[in-house]
Amino acid sequence: MPVISAPHAFNESQLYVDLRSILGHSLYLKCEGFNFAGSIKLKAANEMVESAEREGVLKPDSILVESSSGNLGVALSTIAASKGYQFLCVTDSRCNLSTRLLMEALGSEVHVISELDANAGFLGARIDYVRALCASDDRYVWLSQYTNPGNWKAHYRTTAPEIASYFPGLDVLFVGAGTTGTLMGCARYFRTWHRPVRIVAVDSVGSVAFGGTPGRRMIPGLGMSMRPPLLDESFVDEVIRVEEADTIRTCHRLARRGFVFGGSTGTVVSGAMDWLGRQDAPGITAVAIAPDLGERYLDTIYQTNWLQDLYGENILDPEQVAVGQSGAGPAPDPPEPPDTPPRRRSR
C-alpha cells in the first residue's frame, strides 16, 4: 500500500483494459486517469515544474501561468496547491465546466478566452493572452507545454517504459496528438527499442497539427490549430484523423459496457479500431493510450442536449453506437493476456 504526502507522488501506471470483447479487435488500452489530477497530464506537469525548480526559474513569489484546454490546467493546479505556488490557467469556452470548477477548488485562478484569433483560433488567442500577462509582470512563469522539452521527456522516462515492460512483443502503439508530448516521448523511446514498433498518431478532423484544413472542433484534449513545435514527423509512421461524431459514438459504446472515458480516449480508440479493421494481421499486439476518464465530460459528450445542438439528433443512433466503425459482430473469446511481471505502482 503506497503512503504519500504529495498528490503528484501517486500514479497508477499499469492498468490496461482489453477491449476485444467490446470492439471485436484485440486492443489493450493503457488507462492514465488514475491519479489525483485525473489524467496523463500529471506526468508532464510534474516534469516541467521540477525542471523549472532545478533551473531556478520558479521562486517563492512566482505565479505559474499556462494555456490549457483543461487537463494540464488541473494537473498544474494540483501541483501548485501541493507546492504552495499560485497558478493561473488560461483556457477557452470549450473547456468543460467541471474542469474549470475543479481548478478553482484547488485554489487556481481561471481566465476563459471567448474570442478566437483570426488565424490561430482559440489556441492563438490563449497564447497571446499568456504572453501579455508575462510582459505585464515578471512574477509570471510560463512553462509553455507547447515548446517545453519536459513535456515529451516525461513520457520518454515513464509512459513508454511502462508499456514496454508489459508488452515486450508490442507491434503498434496508438497515441493521440495534441501538443504531441506523449506522442514524441513514446515514439523516441520505441525508435531505439529491441524490435520495430509502428507509431500511429491519432488526430481530430479539423486539427492542423499534421497539415490539412482547419475546422470546427468542440471536444477539448486532442488536435491543434497550429503545427505543434514539439512534433517531429520522422518518428511517426502513420496519422489517422477521426471525426468528432465517431469520437462521441465510441465513448458511448464504451460507456454502455461500463467504461466511461474522456473525448481524447474516444478519439484514440476510434482511430485504432479503424486501423485494426483494415489489417490482415491476426495476433498483432496493439496498445492505445487513454489520457483520462469521462467524469469531466458529463456535461458535454455525455449530455444529450449538448450533443444534439452541435451534431444533430441522430448523433447517438443506437445501431451506430452498438456497432461502431469496425462493424464487428460478436467478438470471439479474448486471447490470453501477454506474460507480464507483477503489477507495480510508480511513485
Side-chain angles (χ1 to χ4, degrees):
M1 180 182 70
V3 177
I4 63 172
S5 57
H8 50 281
F10 171 81
N11 184 53
E12 174 50 79
S13 62
Q14 295 292 11
L15 176 63
Y16 296 84
V17 177
D18 183 356
L19 296 178
R20 186 183 181 94
S21 64
I22 301 174
L23 301 176
H25 294 285
S26 183
L27 177 67
Y28 295 97
L29 188 62
K30 187 179 194 303
C31 301
E32 290 281 352
F34 292 97
N35 57 55
F36 283 93
S39 82
I40 196 171
K41 289 292 188 177
L42 183 65
K43 292 176 173 178
N46 192 48
E47 180 77 23
M48 291 189 295
V49 168
E50 290 191 347
S51 177
E53 289 176 331
R54 288 193 300 269
E55 295 167 4
V57 174
L58 279 174
K59 301 177 176 59
D61 66 341
S62 292
I63 305 172
L64 283 167
V65 61
E66 185 58 86
S67 159
S68 170
S69 62
N71 280 340
L72 184 71
V74 172
L76 286 172
S77 295
T78 302
I79 293 172
S82 173
K83 290 177 174 285
Y85 294 116
Q86 296 181 67
F87 173 56
L88 190 160
C89 181
V90 180
T91 188
D92 61 62
S93 55
R94 297 171 303 174
C95 180
N96 299 318
L97 175 61
S98 58
T99 300
R100 300 201 301 266
L101 294 175
L102 179 54
M103 287 189 279
E104 291 172 348
L106 289 163
S108 298
E109 187 175 352
V110 181
H111 290 190
V112 180
I113 302 299
S114 57
E115 295 185 4
L116 290 80
D117 182 276
N119 299 312
F122 279 121
L123 176 58
R126 292 192 334 233
I127 290 175
D128 286 345
Y129 190 91
V130 170
R131 286 175 174 153
L133 283 174
C134 292
S136 70
D137 190 331
D138 60 10
R139 291 179 301 165
Y140 284 110
V141 175
W142 181 23
L143 297 176
S144 184
Q145 62 167 324
Y146 312 104
T147 60
N148 194 321
N151 190 346
W152 68 261
K153 288 179 180 178
H155 303 288
Y156 183 92
R157 293 168 178 165
T158 61
T159 308
E162 289 160 5
I163 295 169
S165 70
Y166 266 59
F167 296 94
L170 181 67
D171 294 303
V172 57
L173 178 65
F174 299 95
V175 188
T179 64
T180 67
T182 307
L183 175 65
M184 286 293 96
C186 291
R188 281 187 166 91
Y189 181 90
F190 285 111
R191 175 62 61 89
T192 59
W193 205 38
H194 71 92
R195 59 177 283 139
V197 174
R198 188 165 188 83
I199 302 297
V200 179
V202 184
D203 199 8
S204 302
V205 170
S207 165
V208 300
F210 296 89
T213 304
R216 184 187 76 163
R217 291 180 293 111
M218 299 305 298
I219 300 174
L222 296 186
M224 291 276 280
S225 54
M226 66 180 189
R227 179 181 173 83
L230 295 177
L231 175 62
D232 183 343
E233 289 189 62
S234 69
F235 288 94
V236 179
D237 296 298
E238 191 172 346
V239 179
I240 295 177
R241 293 175 174 85
V242 174
E243 295 277 0
E244 287 193 334
D246 292 322
T247 292
I248 291 162
R249 291 176 186 130
T250 300
C251 285
H252 281 260
R253 190 177 180 192
L254 293 170
R256 296 293 187 271
R257 298 296 292 272
F259 294 105
V260 180
F261 285 105
S264 298
T265 300
T267 302
V268 173
V269 171
S270 179
M273 287 299 101
D274 177 65
W275 190 91
L276 290 167
R278 292 184 276 108
Q279 307 306 307
D280 183 19
I284 192 170
T285 299
V287 172
I289 297 175
D292 61 2
L293 301 178
E295 290 91 339
R296 295 173 193 167
Y297 301 80
L298 295 179
D299 59 346
T300 54
I301 62 175
Y302 293 104
Q303 212 283 326
T304 302
N305 291 338
W306 186 89
L307 291 175
Q308 292 182 346
D309 287 346
L310 290 172
Y311 304 99
E313 293 186 0
N314 296 324
I315 181 64
L316 292 181
D317 179 271
E319 184 175 344
Q320 289 178 298
V321 171
V323 176
Q325 285 184 309
S326 68
D333 292 336
E336 290 297 318
D339 292 335
T340 58
R343 295 181 64 203
R344 68 178 187 276
R345 290 183 171 88
S346 62
R347 293 177 172 84

